[in-house]
Amino acid sequence: MTFGEQPAYLRVASDLREKIANGSLPPHTRLPSQARIREEYGVSDTVALEARKVLMAEGLVEGRSGSGTYVRERPVPRRIARSGYRPVSGASPFRQEQAAEGARGAWESSSEQEAAGAEVADRLGIPAGERVMRTRYVYREGGEPMMLSTSWEPLAVTGRTPVMLPEEGPLGGCGVVERMAAIDVVVDNVVEEVTARPGLAEELLTLGGVPGHVVMVIERTFYASGRAVETADVVIPADRYKIAYHLPVR
């Protein structure tokens, strides 16, 4: 096989990827061995190995100890709904947003105080080291982990108030907008930035992914009159979910 300017291992990976996509290599089928790839494509062992590494990094194949490399079954991405809509009162935004998609949402959480690191402090517009309330969430759909979230709220805003702990008290489990309104802080803007990166080991362990899987990260910050009152990182496995935004037309 003649290869162009593109590195040979990428051309081999591309051809194998196409075979996986069109069903020539269906799920649970063993990927051609390194020797078979070498012979079929006329490449070196190094090229064959690198091509397999590319497919593994993309989450298309997985290695099985003592057995070989197999095509992974690709789940149909399910939708995670996100919306600027927040009713005056009721359940948490997670329950509200997913209800429209027919999801059975539930979550577990834990909160503790900590000193804000440089990045979190910059996002909240506070000095590094200032105290914040950090809350970690694991969201589940039908018992399956679907999303992780870590939020930070400046204790200069919520400290010694009924909403200091996001999941406890009279407004525990309610959204940021409603909780802040209870202490006379009017949230008037929210910014979300979506990026993608390889999942961290601890994230993939919780979400059920394998090393190399890509996650989407939503960096969300709520503002009240220009002041950040909450910032969060929401982590979603990119191979199982897609993000759908429902934005009101004003």
Side-chain angles (χ1 to χ4, degrees), residues 1-12 41-43 47:
M1 176 178 291
T2 300
F3 296 99
E5 295 181 359
Q6 188 180 44
Y9 76 96
L10 291 180
R11 291 292 299 272
V12 173
Y41 294 93
V43 296
V47 169

Coordinates of all heavy atoms in Angstrom, one line a residue, residues 1-12 41-43 47:
M1 N 0.9 -1.2 0.0 CA 0.0 0.0 0.0 C 0.9 1.2 0.0 O 1.9 1.3 0.7 CB -0.9 0.0 1.2 CG -1.8 1.3 1.4 SD -2.9 1.2 2.8 CE -4.0 -0.1 2.3
T2 N 0.5 2.2 -0.8 CA 1.3 3.4 -0.9 C 0.7 4.4 0.0 O -0.5 4.7 0.0 CB 1.3 4.0 -2.4 OG1 1.9 3.0 -3.2 CG2 2.1 5.2 -2.4
F3 N 1.5 5.1 0.8 CA 1.1 6.1 1.7 C 1.5 7.4 1.3 O 2.6 7.6 0.7 CB 1.6 5.8 3.1 CG 1.1 4.5 3.7 CD1 1.9 3.4 3.7 CD2 -0.1 4.4 4.3 CE1 1.4 2.2 4.2 CE2 -0.6 3.3 4.8 CZ 0.2 2.1 4.8
G4 N 0.7 8.4 1.5 CA 1.0 9.8 1.1 C 1.8 10.5 2.2 O 2.6 9.8 3.0
E5 N 1.6 11.8 2.4 CA 2.4 12.5 3.3 C 2.0 12.2 4.8 O 2.7 12.4 5.7 CB 2.3 14.0 3.1 CG 2.9 14.4 1.7 CD 2.7 15.9 1.5 OE1 2.2 16.6 2.4 OE2 3.2 16.4 0.5
Q6 N 0.7 11.7 5.0 CA 0.2 11.4 6.3 C 1.0 10.3 6.9 O 1.4 9.3 6.1 CB -1.2 11.1 6.3 CG -1.9 10.9 7.6 CD -3.3 10.5 7.5 OE1 -3.7 9.7 6.7 NE2 -4.2 11.2 8.3
P7 N 1.4 10.3 8.1 CA 2.2 9.2 8.7 C 1.5 7.9 8.5 O 0.3 7.8 8.5 CB 2.2 9.6 10.2 CG 2.1 11.0 10.2 CD 1.2 11.4 9.1
A8 N 2.3 6.8 8.2 CA 1.7 5.5 7.9 C 0.8 5.0 9.0 O -0.2 4.4 8.7 CB 2.9 4.5 7.6
Y9 N 1.2 5.2 10.3 CA 0.3 4.6 11.3 C -1.1 5.3 11.4 O -2.1 4.6 11.7 CB 1.0 4.7 12.7 CG 1.0 6.1 13.3 CD1 0.1 6.5 14.2 CD2 2.0 7.0 13.0 CE1 0.1 7.7 14.8 CE2 2.0 8.3 13.5 CZ 1.1 8.6 14.5 OH 1.1 9.9 15.1
L10 N -1.1 6.5 11.0 CA -2.5 7.2 10.9 C -3.3 6.7 9.7 O -4.5 6.6 9.8 CB -2.3 8.7 10.8 CG -1.7 9.4 12.1 CD1 -1.6 10.9 11.8 CD2 -2.6 9.1 13.3
R11 N -2.6 6.4 8.6 CA -3.4 5.8 7.5 C -3.9 4.4 7.8 O -5.0 4.1 7.5 CB -2.4 5.8 6.3 CG -2.0 7.1 5.7 CD -3.2 7.8 5.0 NE -3.8 7.1 3.9 CZ -3.3 7.1 2.7 NH1 -2.3 8.0 2.4 NH2 -3.9 6.4 1.7
V12 N -3.1 3.6 8.5 CA -3.6 2.3 8.9 C -4.7 2.4 9.9 O -5.7 1.7 9.8 CB -2.4 1.5 9.5 CG1 -2.9 0.2 10.1 CG2 -1.3 1.2 8.5
Y41 N -0.8 -4.4 5.3 CA -0.6 -3.0 4.9 C 0.8 -2.7 4.5 O 1.2 -1.6 4.0 CB -1.0 -2.0 6.1 CG -2.4 -2.0 6.4 CD1 -3.0 -2.9 7.3 CD2 -3.3 -1.2 5.7 CE1 -4.3 -2.9 7.6 CE2 -4.7 -1.2 6.0 CZ -5.2 -2.0 6.9 OH -6.5 -2.0 7.2
G42 N 1.7 -3.7 4.6 CA 3.1 -3.6 4.2 C 3.8 -2.5 5.1 O 4.6 -1.7 4.5
V43 N 3.6 -2.6 6.4 CA 4.3 -1.7 7.3 C 5.1 -2.4 8.3 O 5.1 -3.6 8.4 CB 3.2 -0.8 8.0 CG1 2.4 0.0 7.0 CG2 2.2 -1.7 8.8
V47 N 4.8 0.6 13.2 CA 3.7 1.3 12.6 C 2.4 0.5 13.0 O 1.4 1.2 13.4 CB 3.8 1.3 11.0 CG1 2.5 1.8 10.4 CG2 4.9 2.3 10.7

